[in-house]
Amino acid sequence: MIIAENPTFDAGVVVEGDQIVHDFYLFNRGKTPIRIKQVIASCGCTAVSYDRVIPPKGKAKITLKVNTANSEGEIVKSARVFTELAKKDFILLTIKAFVKPVVKLVPSSFVYVEKKEDEEVEKFVLLTSEIKPDFKVIRISSS
């Protein structure tokens, strides 16, 4: 019998670009070793590393590392753990967090301006940061 102690981890509020690293533990309550066949992350932003065997009456560590670059707001990332005990069933490990952007563009992160040739157009946006209130704008570009 395998038990996942605390299969959900809430990292709280993090800054965009931070890495969230958390160790999960699976416990083997049986008398024989259990092999972990594979651990599959829900997306490419989540890396996994894990012990391959859970010893009898012992534990195995599964580490999830979530890269929060290009994320904003609430995120939920997970990994499915497959063992030799179950052909189709898996253990789900989850990391939750709220990602704050380093700089926020208001009204949105994308500003669209349409203009006719030789026409001047003004568009106002507000750049704010709760993380680095004294930031500097170094360059603005358009395409």
Side-chain angles (χ1 to χ4, degrees):
M1 175 183 202
I2 300 173
I3 297 172
E5 186 176 82
N6 303 316
T8 299
F9 172 70
D10 188 342
V13 178
V14 299
V15 177
E16 177 187 4
D18 284 353
Q19 287 208 359
I20 303 168
V21 180
H22 185 71
D23 295 330
F24 293 92
Y25 292 93
L26 300 182
F27 294 89
N28 178 357
R29 298 291 184 226
K31 296 179 181 179
T32 59
I34 300 171
R35 189 172 61 86
I36 297 175
K37 292 186 351 184
Q38 72 183 141
V39 180
I40 302 173
S42 59
C43 73
C45 66
T46 304
V48 300
S49 61
Y50 58 98
D51 296 334
R52 304 291 189 220
V53 176
I54 312 170
K57 306 291 183 193
K59 64 183 177 181
K61 179 170 74 170
I62 299 174
T63 302
L64 299 186
K65 186 184 295 186
V66 177
N67 182 353
T68 64
N70 302 316
S71 296
E72 185 177 338
E74 186 175 334
I75 62 168
V76 178
K77 305 298 178 182
S78 61
R80 295 176 292 159
V81 180
F82 295 89
T83 69
E84 65 186 351
L85 294 183
K87 300 270 188 250
K88 294 181 183 175
D89 292 335
F90 56 85
I91 297 164
L92 186 66
L93 304 176
T94 305
I95 291 180
K96 298 178 179 184
F98 187 87
V99 181
K100 281 191 168 187
V102 175
V103 175
K104 188 167 186 145
L105 178 64
V106 178
S108 71
S109 60
F110 179 76
V111 178
Y112 180 74
V113 177
E114 189 173 320
K115 74 178 200 84
K116 296 177 184 167
E117 194 173 330
D118 298 329
E119 178 184 19
E120 275 193 37
V121 175
E122 284 186 353
K123 187 76 171 185
F124 294 94
V125 294
L126 175 65
L127 293 170
T128 62
S129 178
E130 294 177 27
I131 310 304
K132 296 186 176 210
D134 58 345
F135 73 96
K136 273 187 189 175
V137 176
I138 296 173
R139 180 183 64 214
I140 297 175
S141 65
S142 66
S143 55

